């Protein structure tokens, strides 16, 4: 592959020929499925989870989550493990019930480590702001929990953006980093993550450097050796605990809220931990991670025991549910979400509503799922309008600002989920702090991660109806969890499937992809164009031609309404390379305002998993001012480097939930391993009028559509929902 530098590949076809002289007639290749495609899921912040992604076995030896009582009768390993899980569940419930009470530090830790564990508990309880043992994405802002809703766990409001660390703290951290041979540039991040005691924390436990995003275990090991000398080794408990947390955090970037214990042990083995089993035990006893195992198989084992079979034999024949390890923040989020959904289902007053199937079902139930493509978005929007006409307080929430602007709702407000939770848009709160709503319709529901979903559902009052609508074929949430997929799989509430097809050649193409078929589609209006390329350099050059010349001339869509979508940020034709080339052509300049110029198209991430696109309007002492649709917003100067990127090119995860008149999807040869059916479905589905595919992956595209399902996410929400809401016949 050639590395693009501005505009390269002079052998490319002239732009006027791209769309007018036959390129539009190029058919999409037929599916070809003899080979197994790569199934790596594209992520807005793609990261290799390492060996933590390898599956473990379901019959791993259980790890104790609590000590066995001295007077307990003889138990099999399975019974002991299940007893431990019950005690762990009780501990979680106790934590949830005692959020407002005093918080104890970890009794099994000492010194700085105990202080850090206490800080974690304090953050989760809302008594302190966010510095913790491990780095965590900042949750969306939320309301204080209503006092009159004991059935809902009160989750802490998100703290405001952390203030810059004190200069003395940063200077002390810089000194420690220098002593350990780590880059001084990390000082600000370390101070922000670990807080005022960062320097002392690093001296006590150098592996806390892993809490800083981007730091790898081998780098933390080198830092620890420089500080501790011969005193440190691969089995140091501080190292094994930090690595266990790091593996689970990396898994969360891939959407998992938990991992099988075997996968965690394999990940630890890959990082030279001599005794992975003891390392997991240490992390559990330290309170850094939790261990889970669903209890349903225990009932089946007990029934078999009543019939004369011993419990050990039953477990040998029917292995218990996999033992999972997870971080407390995700465990609390999933259990809180399940409780809140159960509350809505049980507190709604059924009513008979006339109208469509969706309207009738929503009148009778507190929770309804609605599935369909882009055209089907009109159905839940019509439901909200009809509810408003009945005198109910109804609202539509979407994932992205682009989706909000494109969603028309007569007499009903449309806001983003982030704005609704932050209080910058929406109906406001009632006297108990709940959102003043009788019906909330959430579009783009597959984009809800578990923490955002828990915050949102907990904000709804008793008796409020919730309709979650979305396309189950698109890429999942950029954060941990798969809320919409788990709800669909749990079958604990009504599900309405739309029968509205997406119109035109684009709708036909995308619908076929959802069914696993990459069909040839007639495009008489040049709605679909395939542009073959030989290498990444040519892919970048042709993309610039399409955006700047060909699409405006042949289709009539200006560059500012054309969005480029590619597989990842890095690589020779990733967002960085494409944005550099597009800036050079469309808005050349020196980048005089922190790398940006007036008129640059940008992508701003105000919170993890959320991307806002806009244009740079101006710069001043406070930061950069952007025009995002009809609104203006300020990116503080201290966040420009970390939260802002050029935005002519996005990843599919960043583009999810929004659509543009024209989209150019770039598939260079080195992108083949990152393709899957959901990725292709999402990227191609962002186009409203025109789609150009810069195609350099040969038959990998057809194979990805035919076979490339996205990797499964490991979560606990489905069994929690089934335990709370499943009816006897289910």
């Amino acid at each position: 592959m050639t590395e693009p530098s501005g505009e390269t590949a002079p052998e490319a076809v002239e732009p006027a020929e791209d769309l007018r002289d036959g390129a539009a007639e190029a058919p999409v290749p037929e599916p070809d499925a003899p080979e197994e495609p790569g199934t790596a899921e594209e992520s807005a912040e793609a990261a290799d989870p390492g060996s933590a992604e390898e599956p473990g076995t379901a019959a791993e030896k259980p790890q104790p989550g609590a000590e066995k009582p001295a007077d307990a009768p003889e138990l099999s390993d399975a019974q002991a493990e299940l007893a431990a899980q019950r005690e762990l569940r009780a501990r979680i419930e106790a934590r949830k019930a005692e959020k407002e009470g005093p918080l104890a530090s970890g009794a099994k830790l000492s010194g700085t480590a105990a202080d850090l564990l206490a800080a974690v508990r304090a953050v989760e309880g809302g008594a302190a702001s966010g510095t913790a043992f491990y780095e965590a994405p900042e949750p969306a802002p939320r309301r204080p929990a209503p006092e009159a809703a004991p059935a809902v766990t009160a989750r802490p409001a998100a703290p405001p953006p952390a203030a810059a660390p004190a200069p003395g703290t940063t200077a002390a951290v810089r000194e420690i980093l220098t002593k350990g041979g780590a880059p001084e540039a990390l000082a600000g991040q370390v101070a922000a993550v670990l807080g005022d005691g960062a320097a002392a924390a690093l001296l006590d436990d150098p592996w806390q450097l892993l809490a800083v995003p981007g730091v790898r275990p081998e780098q933390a090991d080198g830092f620890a050796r420089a500080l501790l000398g011969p005193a440190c080794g691969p089995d140091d408990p501080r190292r094994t605990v930090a690595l266990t947390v790091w593996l689970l955090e990396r898994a969360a970037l891939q959407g998992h809220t938990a991992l099988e214990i075997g996968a965690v042990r394999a990940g630890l083995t890959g990082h030279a931990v001599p005794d992975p089993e003891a390392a997991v035990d240490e992390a559990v006893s330290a309170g850094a991670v939790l261990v889970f195992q669903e209890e349903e198989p225990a009932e089946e084992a007990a029934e078999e025991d009543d019939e004369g079979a011993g419990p050990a034999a039953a477990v040998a024949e029917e292995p218990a549910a996999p033992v999972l390890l997870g971080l407390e923040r995700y465990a609390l989020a999933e259990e809180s979400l399940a409780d809140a959904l159960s509350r809505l289902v049980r507190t709604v007053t059924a009513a008979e509503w006339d109208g469509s199937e969706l309207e009738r079902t929503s009148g009778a139930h507190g929770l309804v799922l609605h599935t369909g493509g882009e055209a089907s978005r009109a159905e839940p929007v019509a439901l909200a309008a009809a509810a408003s006409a009945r005198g109910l307080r109804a609202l539509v929430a979407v994932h992205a600002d682009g989706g909000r602007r494109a969603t028309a709702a007569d007499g009903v407000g449309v806001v983003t989920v982030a704005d609704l939770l932050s209080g910058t848009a929406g109906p406001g709160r009632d006297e108990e702090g709940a959102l003043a709503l009788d019906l909330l319709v959430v579009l783009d529901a597959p984009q809800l991660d578990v923490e955002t979903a828990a915050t949102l559902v907990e904000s709804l009052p008793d008796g409020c109806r919730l309709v979650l609508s979305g396309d189950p074929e698109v890429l999942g949430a950029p954060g941990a969890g798969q809320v919409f997929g788990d709800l669909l799989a749990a079958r604990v509430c009504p599900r309405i499937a739309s029968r509205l097809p997406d119109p035109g050649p684009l709708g036909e193409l995308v619908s076929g992809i959802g069914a696993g078929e990459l069909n040839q589609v007639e495009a008489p209006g040049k709605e679909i164009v395939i542009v073959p390329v030989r290498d990444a350099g040519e892919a970048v050059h042709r993309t610039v031609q399409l955006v700047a010349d060909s699409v405006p001339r042949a289709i009539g869509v200006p560059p500012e309404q054309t969005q480029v979508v590619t597989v990842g940020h890095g690589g020779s034709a990733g967002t960085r390379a494409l944005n550099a080339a597009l800036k050079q052509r469309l808005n050349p300049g020196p980048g005089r305002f922190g790398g940006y110029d007036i008129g640059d198209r940008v992508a701003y991430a105000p919170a993890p998993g959320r991307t806002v696109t806009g244009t740079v309007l101006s710069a001043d002492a406070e930061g950069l001012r952007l025009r995002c649709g009809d609104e203006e917003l300020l990116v503080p100067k201290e966040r420009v480097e970390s939260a802002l990127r050029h935005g002519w090119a996005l990843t599919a995860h960043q583009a999810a939930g929004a659509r543009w008149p024209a989209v150019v999807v770039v598939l260079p040869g080195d992108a083949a391993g990152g393709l899957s059916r959901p990725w292709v479905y999402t990227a191609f589905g962002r186009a409203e009028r025109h789609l150009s595919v810069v195609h350099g992956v040969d038959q990998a595209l057809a194979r990805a559509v035919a076979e490339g399902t996205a990797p499964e996410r490991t979560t606990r929400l489905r069994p929690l929902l089934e335990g709370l809401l499943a009816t006897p016949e289910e």
Side-chain angles (χ1 to χ4, degrees):
M1 299 299 170
T2 58
E3 181 70 18
S5 177
E7 293 188 51
T8 58
E11 70 277 7
V13 181
E14 287 301 314
E17 299 175 355
D18 290 344
L19 305 180
R20 296 184 177 185
D21 295 334
E25 307 304 325
V28 178
E30 291 288 345
D32 181 38
E35 297 183 25
E36 183 67 18
T39 58
E41 182 178 2
E42 178 271 322
S43 171
E45 295 295 337
D48 179 12
S51 55
E53 290 295 322
E54 299 179 10
T57 61
E60 293 282 357
K61 181 180 178 180
Q63 296 301 309
E67 296 181 2
K68 180 179 176 181
D71 57 350
E74 288 296 326
L75 297 176
S76 67
D77 287 347
Q79 289 174 317
E81 174 58 34
L82 292 171
Q85 303 315 311
R86 295 189 188 96
E87 183 169 341
L88 280 171
R89 286 178 181 274
R91 285 170 52 196
I92 289 178
E93 292 300 325
R95 289 191 190 101
K96 290 159 58 176
E98 296 172 2
K99 286 288 186 180
E100 304 301 327
L103 297 166
S105 63
K108 296 187 179 181
L109 297 176
S110 61
T112 304
D115 295 338
L116 287 167
L117 181 56
V120 172
R121 304 268 170 83
V123 170
E124 292 165 343
S129 59
T131 55
F133 180 71
Y134 52 85
E135 169 71 356
E138 180 180 328
R142 50 156 300 134
R143 66 170 177 88
E147 296 179 359
V152 184
T153 301
R155 288 164 54 82
T169 299
T170 304
V173 169
R174 186 178 294 110
E175 182 179 348
I176 301 300
L177 293 175
T178 302
K179 182 179 178 181
E184 294 184 11
L186 288 176
Q189 290 177 275
V190 173
V193 171
L194 300 182
D196 291 339
L202 284 178
L203 285 173
D204 184 61
D205 182 359
W207 286 281
Q208 288 193 48
L209 193 65
L210 278 175
V212 177
V215 175
R216 302 283 300 179
E218 54 270 22
Q219 296 167 326
D221 286 341
F223 178 68
R225 283 193 298 269
L227 290 182
L228 302 178
C232 76
D235 59 347
D236 190 304
R238 295 168 293 184
R239 177 179 189 265
T240 60
V241 169
L243 278 174
T244 303
V245 172
W246 182 82
L247 288 170
L248 292 173
E249 288 285 13
R250 299 291 284 184
L253 294 176
Q254 303 301 310
H256 306 283
T257 61
L259 281 181
E260 289 191 15
I261 194 169
V264 177
R265 288 172 177 163
L268 292 170
T269 300
H271 289 289
V273 174
D275 189 347
E277 186 172 341
V280 169
D281 288 346
E282 177 67 27
V284 171
S285 65
V289 301
L290 299 178
V291 59
F292 305 98
Q293 188 176 38
E294 300 308 321
E295 296 187 20
E296 183 178 353
E299 298 175 2
E300 298 173 358
E303 292 175 1
E304 295 181 19
D305 188 33
D306 290 341
E307 296 173 2
V315 171
E317 295 175 5
E318 296 288 339
V323 178
L324 302 178
L325 293 178
L327 299 175
E328 189 172 30
R329 56 182 288 220
Y330 298 121
L332 288 174
E334 287 184 308
E335 297 205 1
S336 297
L337 175 58
D339 289 342
L341 289 169
S342 176
R343 171 179 60 90
L344 293 184
V345 169
R346 301 184 191 286
T347 58
V348 74
T349 301
E352 293 186 4
W353 290 1
D354 298 327
S356 66
E357 181 184 10
L358 180 59
E359 290 180 54
R360 297 193 303 272
T361 305
S362 299
H365 298 275
L367 175 63
V368 176
L369 306 180
H370 173 264
T371 61
E374 289 293 330
S376 70
R377 294 167 70 94
E379 295 175 337
V381 172
L383 163 68
S388 180
R390 291 185 174 92
L392 300 179
R393 300 169 297 177
L395 184 70
V396 175
V398 299
H399 174 66
D401 287 326
R404 175 181 59 82
R405 293 190 290 269
T407 301
D410 295 336
V412 179
V414 180
V415 303
T416 65
V417 171
D419 288 344
L420 176 62
L421 293 178
S422 67
T424 58
R429 308 282 177 163
D430 60 22
E431 62 277 5
E432 294 181 343
L435 291 168
L437 289 173
D438 300 307
L439 169 68
L440 176 63
V441 172
V442 179
L443 306 182
D444 313 312
Q447 299 306 306
L448 285 175
D449 63 86
V450 68
E451 292 185 303
T452 301
T455 303
L456 179 66
V457 179
E458 289 169 4
S459 299
L460 299 178
D462 289 355
C464 181
R465 290 172 169 82
L466 175 63
V467 176
L468 299 177
S469 176
D471 190 338
E473 303 298 331
V474 302
L475 283 170
Q482 52 181 12
V483 173
F484 195 59
D486 283 340
L487 276 165
L488 288 171
R491 309 180 73 89
V492 293
C493 63
R495 296 167 297 167
I496 306 298
S498 174
R499 297 177 177 85
L500 284 178
D502 290 335
L506 283 168
E508 182 181 351
L509 174 65
V510 174
S511 297
I513 292 170
E517 300 176 356
L518 194 60
N519 299 318
Q520 293 183 347
V521 175
E522 294 294 330
K526 302 190 189 311
E527 294 89 349
I528 304 167
V529 172
I530 308 300
V531 183
V533 294
R534 294 183 295 275
D535 55 38
E538 185 180 359
V540 173
H541 185 70
R542 295 301 301 274
T543 299
V544 173
Q545 288 182 326
L546 286 164
V547 174
D549 296 317
S550 304
V551 172
R553 290 179 184 177
I555 308 300
V557 178
E560 58 270 20
Q561 295 181 19
T562 300
Q563 183 62 57
V564 176
V565 178
T566 190
V567 174
H569 294 303
S572 51
T575 62
R576 297 186 186 96
L578 287 166
N579 277 319
L582 287 162
K583 174 175 171 55
Q584 181 179 343
R585 176 64 182 274
L586 298 174
N587 194 46
R592 51 191 296 242
F593 303 114
Y596 302 90
D597 295 296
I598 306 303
D600 274 359
R601 191 164 167 179
V602 292
Y604 173 48
R610 182 184 174 218
T611 299
V612 179
T613 58
T615 304
V616 177
L617 284 180
S618 62
D620 54 35
E622 295 182 339
L624 289 182
R625 300 189 182 275
L626 311 181
R627 165 73 67 182
C628 300
D630 299 329
E631 302 175 353
E632 293 184 15
L633 59 85
L634 171 70
V635 181
K637 61 181 181 181
E638 63 271 13
R639 299 207 64 205
V640 168
E641 182 177 358
S642 62
L644 201 65
R645 298 177 184 267
H646 285 104
W648 287 282
L650 303 173
T651 65
H653 264 123
Q654 290 176 312
R659 302 186 83 205
W660 292 267
V663 169
V664 178
V665 176
V666 184
L667 303 175
D670 57 3
L675 297 180
S676 66
R677 184 189 304 161
W679 192 96
V680 178
Y681 185 92
T682 303
F684 286 18
R686 299 311 94 206
E688 294 176 336
R689 292 171 48 194
H690 172 78
L691 170 68
S692 284
V693 181
V694 179
H695 193 330
V697 293
D698 297 324
Q699 294 302 310
L701 176 60
R703 290 197 300 269
V705 170
E707 305 172 2
T709 57
E712 288 292 327
R713 299 187 179 194
T714 302
T715 67
R716 297 177 53 245
L717 181 60
R718 177 180 175 179
L720 291 172
L721 290 167
E722 290 172 340
L724 288 171
L725 292 174
T727 58
E729 58 268 20
E730 294 175 327

